[in-house]
Amino acid sequence: MTFSATLFEGRRAIVMGGTSGIGAGTALRLAELGANVLAVGLQAAGKHAPVHDRIRCIELDVTDGPALQAVLSKEISIDVLVNCAGISRDRAEYELDVFQHVLDVNLTSIMRACSLAVPALIHARGCIVNVASMFSTFGSADRPAYAASKGGVVQLTKSLAQSYAAAKVRVNAVAPGWITTPLSEGLARDEEASRRIMDRTPLGHWGQPADVADAIVFLCSPAAGYITGVTLPVDGGYLTV
Ligand code: NAI
């Protein structure tokens, strides 16, 4: 870790999808740097949930607007909001109800969380980081809703960056490459698919949740004070090939 250990001391951070994988890694990193973190997601007491004195995990479905409102309306001041909840349903996404559900979790929930959190973010002059994907750039015949949602995350990030800029709330995104998490387990186990990915990844290995967490921390830090509306790839160079 290359950040000052007190970078987020006394700060409030909320991580949607903070109960597993990249979100859990981000919650942990923010807590290690002094933030008080609320990690929101499914299986909040599950084996992938982050454990730290400064992290509280709560079980909440991000598609449940009233439940989200009840949680976020209690927050007076939010320094960091990370929107990391995400799912993929592969070819089942060709069924319209599945397509809509994936859009709701991966994209609409970000709009929902940002709209509910923005008064508290303005209070803190805080910032938002959304989690996009390589499929923000590429289409995917096997995941049409996932790719559409992640393309939308990039555009929503730009729109909210413009909208919130006057209130000094920055909005950025990260686009992780291939990261070892429960979501990508199946792909990682598929030797042929994994080899194809690594052949095209200049750094030659899968990323870890901490790699993405550190990029998110940078975007939330004062060092990124003049950066808003960008999507930062964290992909070992995958997009350069
Ligand atoms: P994960 O499955 O380990 O974590 C997903 C998180 O989202 C969990 O905390 C889960 O509880 C939460 N979540 C899912 N549906 C929810 C709902 N309805 N309500 C509340 N929370 C919900 O997966 P991973 O890999 O950590 O994914 C996190 C984000 O990173 C996702 O947005 C994913 O699309 C994105 N991503 C992951 C990549 C990878 O290689 N693992 C690559 C690119 C993007």
Side-chain angles (χ1 to χ4, degrees):
M1 180 160 48
T2 54
F3 302 101
S4 151
T6 56
L7 187 61
F8 291 104
E9 197 167 70
R11 307 288 169 150
R12 179 60 161 163
I14 308 220
V15 183
M16 299 293 165
T19 54
S20 175
I22 293 169
T26 302
L28 211 47
R29 195 58 112 215
L30 289 165
E32 287 165 357
L33 297 171
N36 294 309
V37 184
L38 183 66
V40 176
L42 306 179
Q43 297 180 312
K47 63 178 178 178
H48 300 297
V51 178
H52 191 283
D53 286 353
R54 282 189 288 274
I55 300 177
R56 187 163 72 91
C57 293
I58 60 164
E59 182 86 19
L60 192 149
D61 188 327
V62 290
T63 66
D64 183 342
L68 201 56
Q69 182 169 21
V71 168
L72 291 177
S73 64
K74 292 194 190 109
E75 302 288 331
I76 311 280
S77 191
I78 300 173
D79 297 280
V80 171
L81 172 65
V82 179
N83 288 303
C84 194
I87 54 169
S88 169
R89 293 291 180 258
D90 301 323
R91 291 191 75 85
E93 293 175 8
Y94 281 96
E95 291 158 34
L96 208 52
D97 57 334
V98 178
F99 185 94
Q100 279 176 331
H101 180 61
V102 172
L103 264 288
D104 200 7
V105 173
N106 293 6
L107 178 61
T108 312
S109 79
I110 296 182
M111 186 64 183
R112 189 178 287 122
C114 290
S115 303
L116 290 168
V118 76
L121 283 157
I122 290 171
H123 186 271
R125 294 194 162 198
C127 61
I128 298 168
V129 178
N130 300 323
V131 178
S133 161
M134 292 296 96
F135 292 115
S136 301
T137 298
F138 306 115
S140 175
D142 287 334
R143 297 176 191 83
Y146 186 82
S149 69
K150 293 299 184 178
V153 169
V154 172
Q155 292 303 96
L156 182 60
T157 298
K158 292 177 195 168
S159 299
L160 295 182
Q162 290 178 12
S163 176
Y164 298 166
K168 305 295 178 207
V169 172
R170 296 182 300 107
V171 188
N172 291 295
V174 290
W178 309 95
I179 311 296
T180 306
T181 71
L183 183 74
S184 60
E185 244 168 26
L187 196 58
R189 268 200 308 268
D190 180 338
E191 279 184 25
E192 175 55 25
S194 184
R195 191 188 54 72
R196 275 202 308 273
I197 289 168
M198 284 310 101
D199 281 352
R200 140 165 211 173
T201 302
L203 286 182
H205 60 87
W206 282 65
Q208 297 301 314
D211 294 321
V212 184
D214 282 342
I216 292 173
V217 163
F218 161 67
L219 288 171
C220 295
S221 74
Y226 198 52
I227 300 177
T228 196
V230 306
T231 297
L232 177 64
V234 187
D235 65 350
Y238 189 86
L239 280 182
T240 65
V241 180

